[in-house]
């Protein structure tokens, strides 16, 4: 039986050497430092892009904004404002802005004369004025809602009422030159 004991000891003996492998365990502090470095690097890249964007846009804004004197022009009005001007006697010339070159010489001569009433321009091709342009014109409108003009119309207002109504480009030019 002694022999059997020896054999049984050998049989039960397991060779653990084949299971022993070298395992490399990274230190937790090394992993945390890698994550922190990645996060800090990413934040630095975004911060640089942000600062660069601010620099570029600020430079463009400084170049684009030129402080100057405000220029408000009172010569061009909307058709709905025709009855609301400050003067007691004034003209409103309704025409398409594309035809301004045809009126420019006449208008400059008109403005050179000192005694003429103020002449306002109203461009009929603008969206807010289109509702006042019609082939069915109203020669004596009493309110802006009733105002209907043709493509080329000159109206004289006195005390905020229509007193003269002239249509046609040639007629308007002739009328203004003879004032």
């Amino acid at each position: 039986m002694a022999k059997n004991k020896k054999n049984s000891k050998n049989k039960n003996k397991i060779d653990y050497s084949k299971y022993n492998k070298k395992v490399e365990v990274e230190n937790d502090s090394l992993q945390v430092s890698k994550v922190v470095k990645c996060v800090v690097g990413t934040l630095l890249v975004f911060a640089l892009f942000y600062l660069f964007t601010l620099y570029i846009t600020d430079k463009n804004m400084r170049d684009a904004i030129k402080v100057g004197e405000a220029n408000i022009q009172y010569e061009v009005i909307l058709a709905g404002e025709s009855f609301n001007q400050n003067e007691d006697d004034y003209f409103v010339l309704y025409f398409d802005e594309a035809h301004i070159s045809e009126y420019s010489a006449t208008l400059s001569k008109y403005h050179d004369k000192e005694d003429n009433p103020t002449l306002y321009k109203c461009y009929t091709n603008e969206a807010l004025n289109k509702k006042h342009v019609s082939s069915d014109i109203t020669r004596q409108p009493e309110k802006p809602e009733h105002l209907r003009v043709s493509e080329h119309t000159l109206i004289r207002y006195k005390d905020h009422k229509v007193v003269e109504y002239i249509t046609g480009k040639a007629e308007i030019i002739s009328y203004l030159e003879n004032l």
Side-chain angles (χ1 to χ4, degrees):
M1 275 227 85
K3 252 186 180 184
N4 280 343
K5 260 188 173 178
K6 267 188 174 179
N7 282 341
S8 66
K9 259 188 170 177
N10 286 341
K11 278 185 182 177
N12 290 340
K13 190 176 182 185
I14 300 174
D15 187 18
Y16 290 108
S17 63
K18 63 181 177 183
Y19 296 111
N20 288 342
K21 291 185 179 176
K22 215 176 199 184
V23 177
E24 292 183 24
V25 177
E26 287 191 33
N27 193 353
D28 286 339
S29 64
L30 287 175
Q31 282 184 330
V32 170
S33 70
K34 284 183 181 178
V35 169
V36 169
K37 286 179 185 177
C38 286
V39 169
V40 169
T42 305
L43 289 175
L44 282 174
V45 168
F46 281 120
L48 287 174
F49 275 116
Y50 178 74
L51 291 174
F52 184 68
T53 304
L54 284 178
Y55 172 75
I56 294 295
T57 55
D58 186 48
K59 183 179 176 186
N60 289 342
M61 291 299 288
R62 276 186 273 133
D63 292 343
I65 297 174
K66 304 263 191 239
V67 177
E69 187 176 319
N71 185 14
I72 300 172
Q73 62 82 22
Y74 296 102
E75 292 180 350
V76 179
I77 62 171
L78 295 173
E81 296 295 317
S82 296
F83 288 88
N84 303 334
Q85 298 309 307
N86 292 332
E87 294 88 359
D88 291 330
D89 186 15
Y90 58 94
F91 287 100
V92 179
L93 176 61
Y94 303 88
F95 66 100
D96 191 320
E97 192 174 10
H99 299 281
I100 190 125
S101 61
E102 299 167 23
Y103 287 107
S104 64
T106 305
L107 292 176
S108 65
K109 287 178 188 175
Y110 179 83
H111 288 299
D112 287 343
K113 296 178 185 174
E114 292 179 17
D115 296 339
N116 285 337
T118 305
L119 186 133
Y120 295 98
K121 294 178 271 190
C122 179
Y123 299 132
T124 56
N125 58 314
E126 289 183 3
L128 293 172
N129 296 330
K130 289 206 182 263
K131 67 181 179 182
H132 297 286
V133 179
S134 173
S135 59
D136 184 26
I137 60 175
T138 310
R139 291 205 175 264
Q140 290 296 321
E142 295 179 9
K143 297 180 183 177
E145 299 86 38
H146 302 138
L147 180 67
R148 298 290 178 267
V149 297
S150 66
E151 184 76 20
H152 300 275
T153 303
L154 178 68
I155 299 178
R156 186 171 193 166
Y157 294 88
K158 279 191 179 181
D159 298 322
H160 307 287
K161 294 181 181 173
V162 175
V163 292
E164 287 185 82
Y165 194 101
I166 302 160
T167 59
K169 188 176 11 171
E171 290 82 7
I172 292 171
I173 291 173
S174 173
Y175 180 84
L176 290 174
E177 286 178 349
N178 291 325
L179 279 179

